[in-house]
Amino acid sequence: MATRGATLAADRASRREDLLDAADRSVARDGAGASMSAIAAEAGITKPILYRHFGDKSGLYAALAERHTERLMQVLLRSLASGGGPRERIAATIDAYLRAIAAQPQIYRFLLHSTEAAQAAEVRGQVQGFVERLADLLATGIGRELGLPPGSTRARVWARGIVGMVQACGDSWISSGTPRRAQLVEELTDLLWGAYRDAAGQGRSG
C-alpha cells in the first residue's frame, strides 16, 4: 500500500510539473494575458482538471512563482560561490541574473508586473521571500568580505540596495533592450565595486 501511495504521489508530482511546463509555454506566448483556459488547452486538459491540481488561479500563479524564483536562486547561488575575487563575483552574479530574465522575459514580466499575479497574495509572498533571501545572502557575503561585524547595518542596507538596483536596471533593460547586456554588467559592476573597494581600503565598519 505504501509503495502504491508513493507511486501515486510521484505520478501526481510529475503531472503537476507537466502542467507548469504548459503554463510556462502559454505565458511565454501570451504574456500577462495568459488565461486558465489557454493554459488548460496548452496542457491538453480541461479547466476543472487544472483547478484540481492548483486549487485556483492564484494557486497556479504561486506555483509558477515558486518554480522560477527557486531556479533563479540556484543560478545566483552558483554565481555568488564562483571563483575569482569580489569584483569577478559581482560581475558574474549580475550577468547571471540578467541572462536568466532575458531567457524568459514574458514569465519575468508576468510574475513581477502583471496585475493578476500582483493581486495574488501567494505570488507576492513568493517574490518577496525570494528578494529577502537573496538580500540576506548578499548581506552575509558583504559582511564577510569587508570584515564587518555580524548583523552589520552597512551589510544589510547595501545588500537590499544592490538587489533593488539590479532589479530596477533589469526591468528597464528588458523593456528597452539597451544597453547591451555586457555593458550593463560592466557599468553596474563598476558602480558596486567602487563602494566595495573604498570600504575595504578604509577598513570602515558599520
Side-chain angles (χ1 to χ4, degrees), residues 17-71:
E17 288 301 304
D18 289 342
L19 295 177
L20 288 174
D21 287 342
D24 278 348
R25 293 192 300 272
S26 184
V27 172
R29 183 183 62 246
D30 302 329
S35 65
M36 293 293 276
S37 295
I39 292 169
E42 180 69 32
I45 60 173
T46 61
K47 276 203 299 184
I49 294 175
L50 194 59
Y51 283 117
R52 190 160 67 235
H53 279 271
F54 297 101
D56 56 16
K57 186 183 294 185
S58 294
L60 174 60
Y61 292 169
L64 278 176
E66 180 181 15
R67 167 186 258 204
H68 288 287
T69 54
E70 283 303 315
R71 286 179 178 177

Side-chain angles (χ1 to χ4, degrees), residues 1-136:
M1 183 65 69
T3 300
R4 183 173 182 274
T7 299
L8 289 174
D11 288 345
R12 182 174 178 80
S14 177
R15 182 57 172 155
R16 180 184 172 89
E17 288 301 304
D18 289 342
L19 295 177
L20 288 174
D21 287 342
D24 278 348
R25 293 192 300 272
S26 184
V27 172
R29 183 183 62 246
D30 302 329
S35 65
M36 293 293 276
S37 295
I39 292 169
E42 180 69 32
I45 60 173
T46 61
K47 276 203 299 184
I49 294 175
L50 194 59
Y51 283 117
R52 190 160 67 235
H53 279 271
F54 297 101
D56 56 16
K57 186 183 294 185
S58 294
L60 174 60
Y61 292 169
L64 278 176
E66 180 181 15
R67 167 186 258 204
H68 288 287
T69 54
E70 283 303 315
R71 286 179 178 177
L72 181 54
M73 179 64 75
Q74 293 308 310
V75 167
L76 297 179
L77 283 173
R78 288 194 294 271
S79 297
L80 287 167
S82 62
R87 193 184 197 288
E88 288 74 22
R89 287 196 296 277
I90 291 170
T93 304
I94 293 171
D95 189 52
Y97 176 79
L98 295 177
R99 284 178 181 271
I101 66 174
Q104 296 180 303
Q106 289 281 50
I107 290 173
Y108 172 79
R109 293 189 188 100
F110 177 73
L111 293 177
L112 269 68
H113 301 298
S114 76
T115 301
E116 286 194 289
Q119 290 173 345
E122 298 105 319
V123 176
R124 293 198 303 274
Q126 289 287 349
V127 173
Q128 186 59 38
F130 164 78
V131 170
E132 290 299 320
R133 286 168 59 198
L134 180 57
D136 287 343

Side-chain angles (χ1 to χ4, degrees), residues 145-148 154 158 194-206:
E145 292 186 344
L146 297 183
L148 301 176
R154 168 170 290 179
W158 280 21
Y196 258 77
R197 183 184 56 223
D198 290 348
Q202 295 171 14
R204 292 158 57 192
S205 63

Side-chain angles (χ1 to χ4, degrees), residues 135 138-140 142-143 148-149 151-160 206:
L138 285 177
T140 299
I142 290 169
L148 301 176
S152 160
T153 297
R154 168 170 290 179
R156 294 199 309 272
V157 170
W158 280 21
R160 279 153 182 77

